Amino acid sequence: MLCDKFLRLQELYRKAAILALITISYNIIEGIVSVWFGAADETLSLFGFGLDSFVEVISGVGIWHMVRRLRRGEEEKRDSFERRALRITGGAFYLLAAGLVVTAGLSIYGGHRPETTVWGIVVSLVSISFMWLLIRHKMKVGKALNSPAILADAACSRACLLLSVVLLAASAGYELTGIGYLDSLGSLAIAWLSFREGREAFDKADGMACSCSCACGAAEKS
């Protein structure tokens, strides 16, 4: 029984590590493509979306590192690993949100218009399809392991899916109407979603710390 449970746990950790590596690889490619074409076409929403992809990379690296150590049997340190992964992800989202707000504000003030947003449409459609599959598998593994960090990583992927929808709306809207500030509004929407995901990551990390403190306090009193 214990052997079966151990093997099952190791299999779940293996799947979590694979999902983290897939997240890292995909988002590096997506980030490079989005930042490259976003800068070339002066498309702020696509450029911001690419930066968000690199935040996904940070989250994926944190999860991969955590799972790798847990697979080596360092289970007693699991909570500290998960809190660290959550806070790294949250901080990265906050930095991204701040940068996007400043850039979008300057863009609106200067009346900036992108050259084209066709690549934003292409990238967003690919991302929506891929993230939908990735979220399903991350949620399944995260629930099986009862891991707040893996579930938070799934939330990051869900945020990426929402960001893809925002990017698609902003990019298609500009191509159809030619209204320049739609691109900047899309960037602001991406900033808001990034800020929200960062706050949720920190809330989960603080909640884990509180639970740990309460448990320690109860142990001391007993």
Side-chain angles (χ1 to χ4, degrees), residues 27-68:
N27 281 286
I28 287 175
I29 296 171
E30 182 182 75
I32 292 172
V33 171
S34 299
V35 168
W36 176 272
F37 285 104
D41 297 334
E42 298 183 0
T43 309
L44 186 58
S45 56
L46 180 58
F47 187 82
F49 182 81
L51 295 181
D52 184 86
S53 297
F54 291 125
V55 175
E56 287 276 339
V57 172
I58 295 173
S59 176
V61 169
I63 295 298
W64 176 79
H65 179 68
M66 180 195 76
V67 171
R68 186 171 62 89

Side-chain angles (χ1 to χ4, degrees), residues 13-215:
Y13 283 145
R14 186 184 71 84
K15 288 181 179 179
I18 291 173
L19 288 171
L21 289 174
I22 291 173
T23 298
I24 293 167
S25 301
Y26 174 81
N27 281 286
I28 287 175
I29 296 171
E30 182 182 75
I32 292 172
V33 171
S34 299
V35 168
W36 176 272
F37 285 104
D41 297 334
E42 298 183 0
T43 309
L44 186 58
S45 56
L46 180 58
F47 187 82
F49 182 81
L51 295 181
D52 184 86
S53 297
F54 291 125
V55 175
E56 287 276 339
V57 172
I58 295 173
S59 176
V61 169
I63 295 298
W64 176 79
H65 179 68
M66 180 195 76
V67 171
R68 186 171 62 89
R69 298 187 71 169
L70 291 176
R71 289 183 72 183
R72 293 206 304 257
E74 301 179 49
E75 183 72 26
E76 69 278 2
K77 299 179 181 179
R78 171 172 172 167
D79 284 351
S80 65
F81 295 159
E82 298 219 13
R83 288 198 302 273
R84 190 178 301 116
L86 286 166
R87 285 169 178 156
I88 289 172
T89 300
F93 270 123
Y94 278 162
L95 288 174
L96 172 62
L100 288 177
V101 168
V102 172
T103 306
L106 292 173
S107 179
I108 293 174
Y109 178 77
H112 171 75
R113 293 167 59 91
E115 292 184 13
T116 178
T117 55
V118 170
W119 276 106
I121 296 173
V122 174
V123 170
S124 61
L125 289 175
V126 173
S127 181
I128 288 170
S129 302
F130 186 83
M131 285 299 152
W132 181 78
L133 291 173
L134 201 58
I135 291 165
R136 288 186 61 191
H137 290 289
K138 285 184 179 181
M139 289 295 294
K140 185 176 180 180
V141 172
K143 288 178 180 178
L145 287 171
N146 191 27
S147 171
I150 293 177
L151 291 174
D153 188 48
C156 286
S157 297
R158 188 182 301 111
C160 188
L161 190 149
L162 292 174
L163 293 172
S164 301
V165 173
V166 170
L167 176 63
L168 178 61
S171 300
Y174 176 77
E175 287 297 318
L176 292 172
T177 66
I179 300 175
Y181 65 79
L182 286 179
D183 180 52
S184 298
L185 290 179
S187 178
L188 288 174
I190 291 173
W192 163 246
L193 290 171
S194 298
F195 173 82
R196 190 181 69 177
E197 290 304 318
R199 183 178 59 190
E200 289 181 0
F202 273 109
D203 287 345
K204 288 180 180 179
D206 292 341
M208 290 180 68
C210 178
S211 297
C212 180
S213 299
C214 291

